[in-house]
Coordinates of all heavy atoms in Angstrom, one line a residue:
M8 N 50.9 -2.5 74.3 CA 50.3 -2.2 72.9 C 49.6 -3.5 72.5 O 50.3 -4.6 72.4 CB 51.3 -1.7 72.0 CG 50.8 -1.4 70.7 SD 52.1 -0.9 69.5 CE 52.6 0.7 70.1
D9 N 48.4 -3.5 72.2 CA 47.7 -4.7 71.7 C 47.9 -4.9 70.2 O 48.5 -4.1 69.6 CB 46.2 -4.7 72.0 CG 45.4 -3.7 71.2 OD1 46.0 -2.9 70.6 OD2 44.2 -3.7 71.3
K10 N 47.5 -6.1 69.7 CA 47.7 -6.5 68.3 C 47.2 -5.4 67.3 O 47.9 -5.0 66.4 CB 47.0 -7.8 68.1 CG 47.2 -8.2 66.6 CD 48.1 -9.4 66.4 CE 48.0 -10.0 65.0 NZ 48.7 -9.3 64.0
K11 N 46.0 -4.9 67.6 CA 45.4 -3.9 66.6 C 46.1 -2.6 66.7 O 46.3 -2.0 65.5 CB 44.0 -3.7 66.9 CG 43.1 -4.8 66.4 CD 41.6 -4.5 66.4 CE 40.7 -5.6 65.9 NZ 39.4 -5.4 65.8
E12 N 46.6 -2.2 67.8 CA 47.4 -1.0 67.9 C 48.7 -1.2 67.1 O 49.2 -0.3 66.3 CB 47.7 -0.6 69.3 CG 46.5 0.0 70.0 CD 47.0 0.2 71.4 OE1 47.9 1.0 71.7 OE2 46.3 -0.2 72.3
K13 N 49.3 -2.3 67.3 CA 50.6 -2.6 66.5 C 50.3 -2.6 64.9 O 51.1 -2.1 64.2 CB 51.2 -4.0 66.9 CG 51.9 -4.0 68.1 CD 52.5 -5.4 68.4 CE 53.3 -5.4 69.7 NZ 53.8 -6.8 69.9
D14 N 49.2 -3.2 64.5 CA 48.9 -3.3 63.2 C 48.6 -1.9 62.6 O 49.0 -1.5 61.5 CB 47.6 -4.2 62.9 CG 47.8 -5.5 63.0 OD1 49.1 -6.0 63.0 OD2 47.0 -6.4 63.1
R15 N 48.0 -1.0 63.4 CA 47.8 0.4 62.9 C 49.1 1.1 62.8 O 49.3 1.9 61.8 CB 46.9 1.1 63.9 CG 45.3 0.8 63.8 CD 44.5 1.8 64.6 NE 44.8 1.7 66.0 CZ 44.1 1.0 66.8 NH1 43.2 0.1 66.4 NH2 44.4 0.9 68.1
Y16 N 50.0 0.9 63.7 CA 51.3 1.6 63.8 C 52.1 1.1 62.5 O 52.6 2.0 61.8 CB 52.0 1.2 65.0 CG 53.5 1.6 65.1 CD1 53.8 3.0 65.2 CD2 54.5 0.8 64.8 CE1 55.1 3.4 65.2 CE2 55.8 1.1 64.7 CZ 56.1 2.5 64.9 OH 57.4 2.9 64.9
I17 N 52.1 -0.2 62.2 CA 52.8 -0.8 61.1 C 52.3 -0.3 59.8 O 53.1 0.2 58.9 CB 52.9 -2.3 61.2 CG1 53.7 -2.7 62.5 CG2 53.3 -2.9 60.0 CD1 53.6 -4.2 62.8
I18 N 51.0 -0.4 59.7 CA 50.4 0.1 58.4 C 50.7 1.6 58.1 O 51.0 2.0 57.0 CB 48.9 -0.3 58.2 CG1 48.4 -0.1 56.7 CG2 48.0 0.7 59.0 CD1 49.0 -1.1 55.9
K19 N 50.6 2.4 59.2 CA 51.0 3.8 59.1 C 52.5 4.0 58.6 O 52.8 4.8 57.8 CB 50.8 4.5 60.4 CG 50.9 6.0 60.2 CD 50.5 6.7 61.5 CE 50.6 8.2 61.2 NZ 50.3 9.1 62.3
Q20 N 53.4 3.2 59.2 CA 54.8 3.3 58.9 C 55.0 2.9 57.3 O 55.7 3.6 56.6 CB 55.6 2.4 59.8 CG 55.7 2.7 61.2 CD 56.2 4.2 61.3 OE1 57.2 4.5 60.8 NE2 55.5 5.0 62.1
F21 N 54.3 1.9 57.0 CA 54.5 1.5 55.5 C 54.0 2.5 54.6 O 54.6 2.9 53.6 CB 53.7 0.2 55.3 CG 54.5 -1.1 55.5 CD1 54.6 -1.6 56.8 CD2 54.9 -1.8 54.5 CE1 55.3 -2.7 57.0 CE2 55.6 -3.0 54.6 CZ 55.9 -3.5 55.9
I22 N 52.8 3.1 54.9 CA 52.2 4.2 54.1 C 53.1 5.4 54.1 O 53.2 6.1 53.1 CB 50.8 4.4 54.5 CG1 50.0 3.2 54.0 CG2 50.2 5.6 53.7 CD1 48.5 3.1 54.5
N23 N 53.6 5.7 55.3 CA 54.5 6.9 55.4 C 55.7 6.8 54.5 O 56.1 7.8 53.8 CB 55.0 7.2 56.9 CG 54.0 7.9 57.7 OD1 53.2 8.7 57.2 ND2 54.0 7.7 59.0
I24 N 56.4 5.6 54.5 CA 57.5 5.5 53.7 C 57.2 5.5 52.2 O 57.9 6.2 51.4 CB 58.2 4.0 54.1 CG1 58.8 4.1 55.4 CG2 59.2 3.6 53.0 CD1 59.1 2.7 56.0
Y25 N 56.1 4.9 51.8 CA 55.6 4.9 50.5 C 55.3 6.4 50.0 O 55.9 6.9 49.0 CB 54.3 4.1 50.3 CG 53.8 4.0 48.9 CD1 54.4 3.2 48.0 CD2 52.8 4.9 48.5 CE1 53.9 3.2 46.7 CE2 52.2 4.8 47.3 CZ 52.8 4.0 46.3 OH 52.3 4.0 45.0
C26 N 54.6 7.2 50.8 CA 54.2 8.5 50.4 C 55.4 9.4 50.4 O 55.5 10.2 49.5 CB 53.2 8.9 51.5 SG 52.4 10.6 51.0
H27 N 56.3 9.3 51.3 CA 57.5 10.1 51.3 C 58.3 9.8 50.1 O 58.9 10.7 49.4 CB 58.3 9.9 52.5 CG 59.6 10.6 52.5 ND1 59.7 12.0 52.7 CD2 60.9 10.1 52.5 CE1 61.0 12.3 52.5 NE2 61.7 11.2 52.5
G28 N 58.4 8.5 49.7 CA 59.3 8.1 48.6 C 58.6 8.4 47.2 O 59.3 8.8 46.3
K29 N 57.4 8.1 47.1 CA 56.7 8.2 45.8 C 56.1 9.5 45.6 O 56.1 10.1 44.4 CB 55.7 7.1 45.6 CG 56.1 5.7 45.5 CD 56.7 5.5 44.1 CE 56.9 4.0 43.9 NZ 57.2 3.8 42.5
H30 N 55.5 10.1 46.5 CA 54.8 11.4 46.4 C 55.5 12.6 46.9 O 55.0 13.7 46.8 CB 53.4 11.3 47.0 CG 52.6 10.1 46.5 ND1 51.7 9.4 47.3 CD2 52.5 9.6 45.3 CE1 51.1 8.5 46.6 NE2 51.6 8.6 45.3
K31 N 56.8 12.3 47.4 CA 57.6 13.5 48.0 C 56.9 14.2 49.0 O 57.3 15.4 49.3 CB 58.1 14.3 46.9 CG 58.8 13.6 45.7 CD 60.0 12.8 46.1 CE 60.6 12.1 44.9 NZ 61.3 11.0 45.3
A32 N 56.1 13.7 49.8 CA 55.5 14.3 51.0 C 56.5 14.3 52.2 O 57.3 13.4 52.2 CB 54.2 13.5 51.4
P33 N 56.4 15.3 53.0 CA 57.2 15.4 54.2 C 57.0 14.2 55.0 O 55.9 13.6 55.1 CB 56.8 16.6 54.9 CG 56.0 17.5 53.9 CD 55.5 16.5 52.9
K34 N 58.0 13.7 55.7 CA 57.9 12.4 56.5 C 56.8 12.5 57.4 O 56.3 11.3 57.8 CB 59.2 12.2 57.2 CG 60.4 11.7 56.3 CD 61.6 11.3 57.1 CE 62.6 10.8 56.1 NZ 63.8 10.3 56.8
S35 N 56.5 13.4 58.1 CA 55.4 13.5 59.1 C 54.0 13.8 58.5 O 53.1 13.8 59.2 CB 55.7 14.5 60.2 OG 55.7 15.8 59.5
Q36 N 53.9 13.9 57.2 CA 52.6 14.2 56.6 C 52.3 13.2 55.5 O 53.3 12.6 54.9 CB 52.5 15.6 56.0 CG 52.7 16.7 57.1 CD 52.7 18.1 56.4 OE1 52.8 18.2 55.2 NE2 52.7 19.1 57.3
L37 N 51.0 13.1 55.0 CA 50.7 12.2 54.0 C 49.9 13.0 53.0 O 49.2 14.0 53.4 CB 49.7 11.1 54.5 CG 50.3 10.1 55.4 CD1 49.2 9.1 56.0 CD2 51.4 9.3 54.8
C38 N 50.0 12.7 51.7 CA 49.3 13.3 50.6 C 47.8 12.8 50.9 O 47.6 11.9 51.5 CB 49.8 13.0 49.3 SG 49.6 11.3 48.8
D39 N 46.8 13.5 50.1 CA 45.4 13.1 50.2 C 45.2 11.7 49.8 O 44.5 11.0 50.5 CB 44.6 13.9 49.3 CG 44.6 15.4 49.9 OD1 44.9 15.6 51.1 OD2 44.3 16.3 49.1
E40 N 45.9 11.1 48.8 CA 45.6 9.8 48.3 C 46.1 8.8 49.4 O 45.4 7.9 49.7 CB 46.5 9.6 47.1 CG 46.3 8.1 46.5 CD 47.3 7.9 45.3 OE1 47.7 8.9 44.7 OE2 47.5 6.7 45.0
C41 N 47.3 9.0 50.0 CA 47.8 8.1 51.1 C 47.0 8.3 52.3 O 46.8 7.2 53.0 CB 49.3 8.4 51.3 SG 50.3 7.9 49.8
Q42 N 46.6 9.4 52.6 CA 45.7 9.6 53.8 C 44.4 8.8 53.6 O 44.0 8.2 54.6 CB 45.4 11.0 54.1 CG 44.6 11.3 55.3 CD 45.4 10.9 56.6 OE1 46.5 11.1 56.8 NE2 44.7 10.1 57.4
T43 N 43.9 8.8 52.5 CA 42.6 8.1 52.2 C 42.9 6.6 52.4 O 42.1 5.8 52.9 CB 42.1 8.4 50.8 OG1 41.8 9.8 50.7 CG2 40.9 7.6 50.4
L44 N 44.0 6.1 51.8 CA 44.3 4.8 51.9 C 44.6 4.3 53.3 O 44.1 3.2 53.8 CB 45.7 4.4 51.1 CG 46.1 3.0 51.1 CD1 45.1 2.0 50.5 CD2 47.5 2.9 50.4
L45 N 45.3 5.2 54.1 CA 45.5 4.9 55.6 C 44.1 4.8 56.2 O 43.9 3.8 57.1 CB 46.4 5.9 56.2 CG 46.7 5.7 57.6 CD1 47.4 4.4 57.9 CD2 47.4 6.9 58.2
S46 N 43.2 5.8 56.0 CA 41.9 5.7 56.8 C 41.1 4.5 56.4 O 40.6 3.9 57.2 CB 41.1 6.9 56.3 OG 41.8 8.1 56.8
Y47 N 41.2 4.0 55.1 CA 40.5 2.9 54.6 C 41.1 1.6 55.4 O 40.4 0.7 55.9 CB 40.6 2.7 53.2 CG 39.8 1.5 52.6 CD1 38.5 1.6 52.4 CD2 40.6 0.4 52.3 CE1 37.9 0.4 51.9 CE2 39.9 -0.7 51.7 CZ 38.5 -0.6 51.6 OH 37.9 -1.8 51.1
A48 N 42.4 1.5 55.3 CA 43.1 0.4 56.0 C 42.8 0.3 57.4 O 42.5 -0.8 57.9 CB 44.6 0.5 55.7
I49 N 42.7 1.4 58.2 CA 42.5 1.4 59.6 C 41.0 1.0 59.8 O 40.7 0.2 60.7 CB 42.8 2.7 60.2 CG1 44.3 2.8 60.3 CG2 42.2 2.8 61.6 CD1 44.8 4.1 60.8
K50 N 40.1 1.5 59.0 CA 38.8 1.2 59.0 C 38.5 -0.3 58.8 O 37.8 -1.0 59.6 CB 37.9 1.9 58.0 CG 36.4 1.7 58.2 CD 35.7 2.7 57.2 CE 34.9 1.9 56.2 NZ 34.3 2.7 55.1
R51 N 39.2 -0.9 57.8 CA 39.1 -2.4 57.5 C 39.6 -3.1 58.8 O 39.1 -4.2 59.2 CB 39.8 -2.7 56.3 CG 39.3 -2.0 55.1 CD 37.9 -2.3 54.6 NE 37.1 -3.2 55.4 CZ 35.8 -3.2 55.5 NH1 35.1 -2.5 54.7 NH2 35.1 -4.0 56.3
L52 N 40.7 -2.7 59.4 CA 41.3 -3.4 60.4 C 40.4 -3.4 61.7 O 40.2 -4.4 62.3 CB 42.6 -2.6 60.8 CG 43.4 -3.1 62.1 CD1 43.8 -4.6 61.8 CD2 44.5 -2.2 62.5
E53 N 39.8 -2.3 61.9 CA 38.8 -2.2 63.0 C 37.6 -3.1 62.8 O 37.0 -3.6 63.8 CB 38.4 -0.8 63.3 CG 39.5 0.2 63.7 CD 40.2 -0.3 65.0 OE1 39.4 -0.6 66.0 OE2 41.3 -0.1 65.1
H54 N 37.2 -3.4 61.6 CA 36.0 -4.2 61.4 C 36.3 -5.6 60.9 O 35.5 -6.3 60.4 CB 35.2 -3.5 60.4 CG 34.6 -2.2 61.0 ND1 35.2 -1.0 60.8 CD2 33.4 -1.9 61.7 CE1 34.5 0.0 61.4 NE2 33.5 -0.6 61.9
C55 N 37.6 -6.0 61.1 CA 38.0 -7.3 60.7 C 37.2 -8.4 61.4 O 37.2 -8.4 62.7 CB 39.5 -7.5 60.9 SG 40.0 -9.2 60.4
P56 N 36.6 -9.3 60.7 CA 35.8 -10.4 61.4 C 36.6 -11.4 62.0 O 36.2 -12.2 62.7 CB 34.9 -11.0 60.2 CG 35.7 -10.7 59.1 CD 36.5 -9.4 59.3
Q57 N 37.9 -11.6 61.6 CA 38.8 -12.5 62.2 C 39.3 -12.1 63.6 O 39.7 -11.0 63.8 CB 39.9 -12.7 61.3 CG 39.6 -13.0 59.8 CD 39.2 -14.4 59.6 OE1 39.6 -15.4 60.3 NE2 38.3 -14.7 58.6
D58 N 39.3 -13.1 64.5 CA 39.9 -12.8 65.8 C 40.7 -14.1 66.2 O 39.9 -15.1 66.5 CB 38.8 -12.4 66.8 CG 39.3 -11.9 68.1 OD1 40.5 -11.4 68.1 OD2 38.7 -12.0 69.1
P59 N 41.9 -14.0 66.3 CA 42.8 -12.9 66.1 C 43.0 -12.7 64.6 O 42.9 -13.6 63.8 CB 44.2 -13.4 66.8 CG 44.1 -14.8 66.7 CD 42.6 -15.2 66.8
K60 N 43.3 -11.5 64.3 CA 43.4 -11.1 62.9 C 44.7 -11.7 62.3 O 45.8 -11.4 62.8 CB 43.4 -9.6 62.7 CG 43.5 -9.1 61.3 CD 43.8 -7.7 61.2 CE 44.0 -7.2 59.8 NZ 44.8 -8.0 58.9
P61 N 44.6 -12.5 61.1 CA 45.8 -12.9 60.5 C 46.3 -11.8 59.6 O 45.7 -10.8 59.3 CB 45.3 -14.1 59.7 CG 43.9 -13.8 59.3 CD 43.4 -13.0 60.6
S62 N 47.6 -11.9 59.1 CA 48.0 -11.0 58.2 C 47.2 -11.1 57.0 O 46.8 -12.1 56.6 CB 49.6 -11.1 57.9 OG 49.8 -12.4 57.2
C63 N 47.0 -9.9 56.3 CA 46.1 -9.9 55.1 C 46.5 -11.0 54.0 O 45.7 -11.6 53.4 CB 46.1 -8.6 54.5 SG 45.2 -7.4 55.6
K64 N 47.9 -11.2 53.9 CA 48.4 -12.2 53.0 C 47.8 -13.6 53.3 O 47.7 -14.5 52.4 CB 49.9 -12.1 53.1 CG 50.7 -13.1 52.2 CD 52.2 -12.7 52.5 CE 53.1 -13.9 52.0 NZ 54.4 -13.6 52.2
H65 N 47.7 -13.9 54.5 CA 47.2 -15.2 54.9 C 45.7 -15.4 55.2 O 45.2 -16.4 55.7 CB 48.0 -15.7 56.1 CG 49.5 -15.8 55.9 ND1 50.1 -16.7 55.0 CD2 50.6 -15.0 56.4 CE1 51.4 -16.5 55.1 NE2 51.6 -15.5 55.8
C66 N 45.0 -14.3 55.0 CA 43.6 -14.2 55.3 C 42.7 -14.8 54.2 O 43.0 -14.7 53.0 CB 43.2 -12.8 55.5 SG 41.5 -12.6 56.1
E67 N 41.7 -15.6 54.6 CA 40.8 -16.3 53.6 C 39.7 -15.3 53.3 O 39.0 -15.4 52.2 CB 40.2 -17.5 54.2 CG 41.3 -18.5 54.5 CD 40.7 -19.8 55.0 OE1 39.5 -20.0 55.1 OE2 41.6 -20.6 55.5
V68 N 39.4 -14.2 54.0 CA 38.3 -13.3 53.8 C 39.0 -12.0 53.5 O 39.4 -11.3 54.3 CB 37.4 -13.1 55.0 CG1 36.3 -12.1 54.7 CG2 36.8 -14.4 55.5
H69 N 39.0 -11.6 52.1 CA 39.6 -10.4 51.8 C 38.6 -9.3 51.9 O 37.7 -9.2 51.2 CB 40.2 -10.4 50.4 CG 41.3 -11.4 50.3 ND1 42.7 -11.3 50.9 CD2 41.4 -12.6 49.7 CE1 43.3 -12.3 50.7 NE2 42.7 -13.2 50.0
C70 N 38.8 -8.3 52.8 CA 37.9 -7.3 53.0 C 38.2 -6.0 52.3 O 37.4 -5.0 52.3 CB 37.8 -7.0 54.6 SG 39.3 -6.5 55.3
Y71 N 39.4 -5.9 51.7 CA 39.7 -4.7 50.9 C 39.0 -4.8 49.5 O 39.0 -5.8 48.9 CB 41.2 -4.6 50.6 CG 42.0 -4.1 51.7 CD1 41.7 -4.4 53.1 CD2 43.1 -3.2 51.5 CE1 42.6 -4.0 54.1 CE2 43.9 -2.7 52.5 CZ 43.6 -3.1 53.8 OH 44.3 -2.6 54.8
K72 N 38.5 -3.6 49.0 CA 38.1 -3.6 47.6 C 39.2 -3.8 46.7 O 40.3 -3.5 47.1 CB 37.4 -2.2 47.4 CG 36.1 -1.9 48.2 CD 35.6 -0.6 47.9 CE 34.4 -0.3 48.7 NZ 33.9 1.1 48.5
P73 N 39.0 -4.4 45.5 CA 40.1 -4.7 44.8 C 41.1 -3.4 44.4 O 42.2 -3.7 44.3 CB 39.4 -5.1 43.3 CG 38.1 -5.7 43.8 CD 37.7 -4.8 44.9
V74 N 40.5 -2.3 44.3 CA 41.4 -1.1 43.9 C 42.3 -0.8 45.2 O 43.6 -0.7 44.9 CB 40.6 0.1 43.7 CG1 41.5 1.5 43.7 CG2 39.7 0.0 42.4
Y75 N 41.8 -0.8 46.4 CA 42.7 -0.7 47.6 C 43.6 -1.9 47.8 O 44.7 -1.6 48.3 CB 41.8 -0.5 48.8 CG 41.1 0.9 48.8 CD1 39.8 1.1 48.6 CD2 41.8 2.1 49.1 CE1 39.2 2.3 48.7 CE2 41.3 3.3 49.1 CZ 39.9 3.4 48.9 OH 39.3 4.6 48.9
R76 N 43.2 -3.0 47.4 CA 44.0 -4.2 47.6 C 45.2 -4.1 46.8 O 46.4 -4.4 47.2 CB 43.2 -5.5 47.3 CG 43.5 -6.6 48.0 CD 42.5 -7.7 47.9 NE 43.2 -8.9 47.9 CZ 42.7 -10.1 47.4 NH1 41.6 -10.1 46.8 NH2 43.5 -11.1 47.5
E77 N 45.0 -3.6 45.6 CA 46.3 -3.5 44.6 C 47.1 -2.4 45.2 O 48.4 -2.5 45.1 CB 45.8 -3.2 43.2 CG 46.9 -3.1 42.2 CD 47.8 -4.3 42.3 OE1 47.5 -5.5 42.4 OE2 49.0 -4.0 42.1
K78 N 46.5 -1.3 45.6 CA 47.3 -0.2 46.1 C 48.1 -0.6 47.4 O 49.3 -0.2 47.5 CB 46.3 1.0 46.4 CG 47.1 2.2 46.7 CD 47.8 2.7 45.6 CE 48.4 4.1 45.9 NZ 49.3 4.5 44.8
I79 N 47.5 -1.4 48.3 CA 48.2 -1.7 49.5 C 49.4 -2.7 49.1 O 50.4 -2.6 49.8 CB 47.3 -2.3 50.6 CG1 47.9 -2.1 51.9 CG2 47.0 -3.7 50.4 CD1 47.8 -0.6 52.4
R80 N 49.2 -3.5 48.1 CA 50.3 -4.4 47.6 C 51.5 -3.5 47.1 O 52.6 -3.8 47.4 CB 49.7 -5.3 46.4 CG 49.0 -6.5 46.9 CD 48.8 -7.4 45.8 NE 47.9 -8.5 46.1 CZ 46.9 -8.9 45.5 NH1 46.4 -8.3 44.4 NH2 46.2 -9.8 46.0
Q81 N 51.1 -2.5 46.3 CA 52.2 -1.6 45.9 C 52.9 -1.0 47.1 O 54.1 -0.9 47.1 CB 51.6 -0.5 45.1 CG 51.1 -1.0 43.7 CD 50.3 0.1 42.9 OE1 50.3 1.3 43.4 NE2 49.8 -0.2 41.8
V82 N 52.2 -0.5 47.9 CA 52.8 0.1 49.2 C 53.7 -0.9 49.9 O 54.8 -0.6 50.3 CB 51.7 0.6 50.2 CG1 52.2 1.0 51.6 CG2 51.0 1.8 49.5
M83 N 53.2 -2.2 50.1 CA 54.0 -3.2 50.8 C 55.3 -3.5 50.0 O 56.4 -3.7 50.7 CB 53.1 -4.4 51.0 CG 52.0 -4.3 52.0 SD 52.5 -3.7 53.6 CE 51.1 -3.1 54.2
R84 N 55.2 -3.7 48.8 CA 56.4 -4.0 47.9 C 57.4 -2.9 48.1 O 58.6 -3.1 48.2 CB 55.9 -4.2 46.4 CG 55.8 -5.6 46.0 CD 55.6 -5.7 44.6 NE 54.3 -6.2 44.4 CZ 53.3 -5.6 43.8 NH1 53.5 -4.5 43.1 NH2 52.0 -6.1 43.7
Y85 N 56.9 -1.7 47.9 CA 57.8 -0.5 47.9 C 58.4 -0.3 49.3 O 59.7 -0.3 49.5 CB 57.1 0.8 47.6 CG 58.0 2.0 47.5 CD1 58.7 2.3 46.4 CD2 58.1 2.8 48.6 CE1 59.5 3.5 46.3 CE2 58.8 4.0 48.6 CZ 59.6 4.2 47.5 OH 60.4 5.4 47.5
S86 N 57.6 -0.3 50.3 CA 58.1 0.0 51.7 C 58.8 -1.2 52.3 O 59.8 -0.9 53.0 CB 56.8 0.3 52.6 OG 56.2 1.5 52.1
G87 N 58.5 -2.4 51.9 CA 59.2 -3.6 52.5 C 60.6 -3.6 52.2 O 61.5 -3.8 53.1
M88 N 61.1 -3.2 50.9 CA 62.4 -3.2 50.6 C 63.2 -2.1 51.3 O 64.3 -2.3 51.7 CB 62.6 -3.0 49.1 CG 62.1 -4.2 48.2 SD 62.9 -5.8 48.8 CE 64.6 -5.5 48.4
R89 N 62.6 -1.0 51.5 CA 63.2 0.1 52.3 C 63.3 -0.2 53.7 O 64.3 0.3 54.3 CB 62.4 1.4 52.0 CG 62.8 2.1 50.7 CD 61.7 2.5 49.8 NE 62.3 2.8 48.5 CZ 62.2 2.0 47.5 NH1 61.7 0.8 47.6 NH2 62.6 2.4 46.3
L90 N 62.4 -0.9 54.2 CA 62.6 -1.3 55.7 C 63.7 -2.2 55.9 O 64.5 -2.1 56.8 CB 61.3 -2.0 56.2 CG 60.1 -1.1 56.4 CD1 58.9 -1.9 56.7 CD2 60.3 -0.1 57.5
I91 N 63.9 -3.1 54.9 CA 65.1 -4.0 55.0 C 66.4 -3.2 54.8 O 67.3 -3.4 55.6 CB 65.0 -5.1 53.8 CG1 63.9 -6.1 54.2 CG2 66.3 -5.9 53.7 CD1 63.6 -7.0 53.0
L92 N 66.4 -2.3 53.9 CA 67.6 -1.4 53.7 C 67.9 -0.6 54.8 O 69.0 -0.2 55.1 CB 67.5 -0.7 52.4 CG 67.4 -1.5 51.1 CD1 67.1 -0.5 49.9 CD2 68.7 -2.2 50.9
H93 N 66.9 -0.1 55.5 CA 67.1 0.8 56.7 C 67.2 0.0 58.1 O 67.2 0.6 59.2 CB 66.1 1.9 56.8 CG 66.2 2.8 55.6 ND1 65.3 2.8 54.5 CD2 67.1 3.9 55.4 CE1 65.8 3.7 53.7 NE2 66.8 4.4 54.2
G94 N 67.2 -1.3 58.0 CA 67.4 -2.1 59.2 C 66.2 -2.2 60.1 O 66.3 -2.5 61.3
R95 N 65.0 -1.9 59.6 CA 63.8 -2.0 60.3 C 63.1 -3.3 60.1 O 61.9 -3.3 59.8 CB 62.9 -0.7 60.0 CG 63.7 0.5 60.1 CD 63.1 1.8 60.7 NE 62.0 1.7 61.3 CZ 60.9 2.6 61.2 NH1 61.0 3.5 60.2 NH2 59.9 2.5 61.9
L96 N 63.8 -4.4 60.4 CA 63.2 -5.7 60.1 C 62.1 -6.1 61.0 O 61.4 -6.9 60.7 CB 64.4 -6.7 60.2 CG 65.4 -6.6 59.1 CD1 66.6 -7.5 59.3 CD2 64.8 -6.8 57.6
N97 N 62.1 -5.5 62.2 CA 61.1 -5.9 63.2 C 59.7 -5.5 62.6 O 58.8 -6.4 62.8 CB 61.3 -5.2 64.5 CG 61.3 -3.6 64.4 OD1 61.6 -3.1 63.4 ND2 60.9 -3.0 65.5
L98 N 59.5 -4.4 61.9 CA 58.3 -4.1 61.3 C 57.9 -5.1 60.2 O 56.7 -5.5 60.0 CB 58.2 -2.6 60.7 CG 58.2 -1.5 61.8 CD1 58.4 -0.2 61.0 CD2 57.0 -1.6 62.6
L99 N 58.8 -5.4 59.4 CA 58.7 -6.2 58.2 C 58.4 -7.6 58.8 O 57.4 -8.3 58.3 CB 60.0 -6.2 57.3 CG 59.8 -7.0 56.0 CD1 58.7 -6.4 55.2 CD2 61.1 -6.9 55.3
W100 N 59.1 -8.1 59.7 CA 58.9 -9.4 60.2 C 57.5 -9.6 60.8 O 56.8 -10.5 60.5 CB 59.9 -9.7 61.4 CG 59.8 -11.1 61.9 CD1 59.2 -11.4 63.0 CD2 60.4 -12.3 61.4 NE1 59.2 -12.7 63.3 CE2 60.0 -13.2 62.3 CE3 61.1 -12.6 60.2 CZ2 60.3 -14.6 62.0 CZ3 61.4 -13.9 60.0 CH2 61.1 -14.9 61.0
H101 N 57.1 -8.6 61.6 CA 55.6 -8.6 62.1 C 54.6 -8.6 61.1 O 53.7 -9.4 61.1 CB 55.5 -7.4 63.1 CG 54.0 -7.2 63.4 ND1 53.5 -8.0 64.4 CD2 53.0 -6.5 62.9 CE1 52.2 -7.6 64.6 NE2 51.9 -6.8 63.6
Y102 N 54.8 -7.9 60.0 CA 53.8 -7.7 58.9 C 53.7 -8.9 58.1 O 52.6 -9.4 57.7 CB 53.9 -6.5 58.1 CG 52.6 -6.0 57.5 CD1 51.7 -5.5 58.4 CD2 52.3 -6.4 56.2 CE1 50.5 -5.2 57.8 CE2 51.1 -6.1 55.7 CZ 50.2 -5.4 56.5 OH 48.9 -5.1 55.9
L103 N 54.8 -9.6 57.8 CA 54.9 -10.7 56.9 C 54.5 -12.0 57.6 O 54.0 -13.0 57.0 CB 56.2 -10.8 56.2 CG 56.6 -9.7 55.3 CD1 58.0 -10.0 54.8 CD2 55.6 -9.7 54.1
F104 N 54.7 -12.2 58.9 CA 54.5 -13.4 59.6 C 53.5 -13.3 60.7 O 53.0 -12.8 61.3 CB 55.8 -14.1 60.1 CG 56.8 -14.3 59.0 CD1 57.8 -13.4 58.8 CD2 56.5 -15.3 58.2 CE1 58.7 -13.6 57.7 CE2 57.4 -15.5 57.1 CZ 58.6 -14.6 57.0

């Protein structure tokens, strides 16, 4: 699995946790809002000008529109704590560092 595949997997996990917790969607499905956010995030990931891509937190070129940037911050805050509580530190570790 290459870096971009891992990043896609991780962002999907974060958004799944958020959608299930906040929007009460079934674990294997996303609501329309979260599906739109996931599609946007994957599109931004695929077109990232940085190679290798740093984590967004450490990036100097912010490619997310402000609305999506704030939404992804909310997702990360919410999902990050739940990953810690459920022992899924490997995803959190990868995304933060």
